[in-house]
């Protein structure tokens, strides 16, 4: 009995703490938003949208925490090349998923986005775009792993076609130095603060050996902790398909320990480590290591900014209604080939009716 009451009171205390923490970590971003987006876009057409996305993300993360990192990276790979239009979700011979940088987008996270689309279209009809679902699910993945809550403006529509290889090629590479990273970001109207804060998404998730082999023998790299380098070298020699967590301190928690890693020369990619070594970024990276609130605040701002890159709104683009992997025109011309799962076909037909 006493153990019951003490455990229930500690549960209550934990709940209060959690509430306090989640309130403390909420960031309000009050900047002007892109034309056609709104903070209340689905209030009348699909009021359950945010709750539904949150519930599905929580369920998925209960099974596999790694899906959080998967979502966050998909969002970046969607927005950066040609804007947040869910083009990265499209399958087919011109799919962005066939391009090298995304060799490693997690299929479980891609599937989750489409599962959420199916649930929302059952509840509201084909009102919610795959790009808004990707944006909301990413925000919820950040919150669920311990990061800041922030509102995202909604009303994005889905693009008709994948980004070209040239555009996908504008995604920054892990072997870029800081000036090249800054240029790549600047080309997409993202500044140095965006670079330093958004790179902090590498506080969760993993990388494959091919993404950091440039830092291992026979190459020379004196910016990496020698013991860490030795461990990575052994791991990758053993299995070239091996993965390494991006944040060695707290691999599944969205916190500022990534910046501690950089201080300890344990950033996984050259692009990570550079942030602590280059004069243009070192001060801010150090500040984020000392002040998690400052990191969360800038991260939320930069995410809201990135979420509005070249968005399609109004009557541009479409709401993909058969499947997030298939534009509606292609779905209409050859439905049989493009259906991935039978329940999605039912859903698409219901949406048409
Ligand atoms: C600054 C330039 C960036 C570079 C060079 C970069 C590069 C990479 C690379 C090479 C991987 C590992 C791929 C693999 O080997 O499996 C990765 C993973 C990841 N990236 Fe980035 N990235 C950058 C920025 C970002 C941004 C802006 C975000 C999101 C806001 C992000 C989120 C992630 C996440 C969450 C993972 C882990 C994915 C997983 O575990 O499935 N990255 N990144
Ligand atoms: C930035 O854009 C310019 C002009 O399009 C291009 O030549 C350059 O390669 C881009 N830089 C990076 C790092 O993407
Ligand atoms: C690595 O993955 C590739 C492609 O999936 C596979 O062909 C290869 O056998 C794997 N190598 C090892 C050592 O597991
Ligand atoms: C998730 C996904 O579709 N990944 C694709 C990335 O690209 C490779 C080819 O380079 C495909 O085989 C994967 O299916």
């Amino acid at each position: 009995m006493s153990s019951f009451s003490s455990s229930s009171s500690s549960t209550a205390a934990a709940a209060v703490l959690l509430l306090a923490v989640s309130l403390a970590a909420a960031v309000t971003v009050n900047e002007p938003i892109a034309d056609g987006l709104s903070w209340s876009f689905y209030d009348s057409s699909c009021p359950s949208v945010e709750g539904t996305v949150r519930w599905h993300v929580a369920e998925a993360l209960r099974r596999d925490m790694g899906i959080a990192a998967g979502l966050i990276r998909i969002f970046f790979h969607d927005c950066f090349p040609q804007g947040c239009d869910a083009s990265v979700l499209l399958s087919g011979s011109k799919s962005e998923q066939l391009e090298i940088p995304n060799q490693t987008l997690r299929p479980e996270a891609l599937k989750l986005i489409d599962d959420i689309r199916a649930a929302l279209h059952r509840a509201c009809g084909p009102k919610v775009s795959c790009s808004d679902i990707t944006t909301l699910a990413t925000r919820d993945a950040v919150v669920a792993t311990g990061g800041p809550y922030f509102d995202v403006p909604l009303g994005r529509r889905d693009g008709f076609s994948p980004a070209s290889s040239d555009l996908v090629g504008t995604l920054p590479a892990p072997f870029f130095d800081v000036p090249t990273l800054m240029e790549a970001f600047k080309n997409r109207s993202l500044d140095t603060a965006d670079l330093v804060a958004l790179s902090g998404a590498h506080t969760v998730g993993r990388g494959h050996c091919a993404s950091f082999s440039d830092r291992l023998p026979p190459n020379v790299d004196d910016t990496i902790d020698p013991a860490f380098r030795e461990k990575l070298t052994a791991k990758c020699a053993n299995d070239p398909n091996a993965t390494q967590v991006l944040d060695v301190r707290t691999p599944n928690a969205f916190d500022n320990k990534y910046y501690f890693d950089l201080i300890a020369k344990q950033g996984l990619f050259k692009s990570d480590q550079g942030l602590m070594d280059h004069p243009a970024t070192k001060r801010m990276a150090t500040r984020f290591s000392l002040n998690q609130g400052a990191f969360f605040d800038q991260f939320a701002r930069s995410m809201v900014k990135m979420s509005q890159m070249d968005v399609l709104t109004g009557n541009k683009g479409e709401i993909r209604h058969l499947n997030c992997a298939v534009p509606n025109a292609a779905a209409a011309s050859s439905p049989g080939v493009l259906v991935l799962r039978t329940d999605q076909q039912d859903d698409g037909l219901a949406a048409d009716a």
Side-chain angles (χ1 to χ4, degrees), residues 142-164:
V142 169
V143 174
T145 46
Y149 176 89
F150 49 94
D151 284 319
V152 287
L154 299 170
R156 291 166 199 75
R157 291 166 63 86
D158 300 325
F160 296 120
S161 47
S164 66

Side-chain angles (χ1 to χ4, degrees), residues 27 191 193-194 197-198 284 288 293-303:
V27 176
D191 61 24
D194 297 319
L198 290 173
M284 186 172 285
F288 290 163
F295 165 48
F296 280 5
D297 187 77
Q298 183 59 52
F299 183 80
R301 278 169 208 291
S302 297
M303 287 292 275

Side-chain angles (χ1 to χ4, degrees), residues 88 95-108 110:
V88 76
S95 171
E96 292 170 40
Q97 294 169 21
L98 302 173
E99 304 283 341
I100 288 163
N102 105 90
Q103 45 183 245
T104 43
L105 296 181
R106 297 199 199 214
E108 303 83 356
L110 294 167

Side-chain angles (χ1 to χ4, degrees), residues 237-242:
N238 221 13
D239 172 7
N241 297 332

Side-chain angles (χ1 to χ4, degrees), residues 166-184:
D166 281 359
L167 287 177
V168 175
T170 65
L171 277 164
F175 52 81
F176 278 5
D177 60 14
V178 167
T180 312
L181 290 169
M182 285 170 61
E183 182 185 311

Side-chain angles (χ1 to χ4, degrees), residues 139-295:
R139 188 273 313 277
D140 291 343
V142 169
V143 174
T145 46
Y149 176 89
F150 49 94
D151 284 319
V152 287
L154 299 170
R156 291 166 199 75
R157 291 166 63 86
D158 300 325
F160 296 120
S161 47
S164 66
S165 302
D166 281 359
L167 287 177
V168 175
T170 65
L171 277 164
F175 52 81
F176 278 5
D177 60 14
V178 167
T180 312
L181 290 169
M182 285 170 61
E183 182 185 311
F185 272 57
K186 185 155 180 253
N187 279 355
R188 300 298 284 126
S189 304
L190 296 169
D191 61 24
T192 306
D194 297 319
L195 170 65
V196 178
L198 290 173
S199 295
H202 291 174
T203 180
V204 292
R206 65 185 186 199
H208 291 75
C209 290
S211 300
F212 54 87
S213 57
D214 59 310
R215 310 189 72 201
L216 306 180
N219 296 340
V220 178
D221 189 332
D222 55 12
T223 65
I224 184 171
D225 164 35
F228 183 49
R229 183 174 193 251
E230 227 165 86
K231 240 190 252 171
L232 296 176
T233 305
K235 176 183 246 186
C236 296
N238 221 13
D239 172 7
N241 297 332
T243 61
Q244 165 66 31
V245 294
L246 300 180
D247 170 10
V248 290
R249 286 176 170 69
T250 52
N252 290 317
F254 199 103
D255 57 19
N256 66 340
K257 295 294 190 292
Y258 162 85
Y259 300 98
F260 286 55
D261 299 336
L262 305 187
I263 290 173
K265 296 178 169 248
Q266 292 164 345
L268 188 60
F269 306 136
K270 186 179 166 196
S271 61
D272 295 317
Q273 192 57 52
L275 299 175
M276 196 54 84
D277 299 340
H278 194 277
T281 48
K282 184 188 173 100
R283 276 175 76 95
M284 186 172 285
T286 306
R287 178 155 162 264
F288 290 163
S289 77
L290 296 170
N291 183 344
Q292 180 164 279
F295 165 48

Side-chain angles (χ1 to χ4, degrees), residues 39-59:
W39 301 103
S40 53
F41 193 81
Y42 296 109
D43 279 8
S44 55
S45 61
C46 194
S48 59
V49 61
E50 302 220 7
T52 303
V53 174
R54 191 181 320 118
W55 185 85
H56 280 266
V57 170
E59 276 300 296

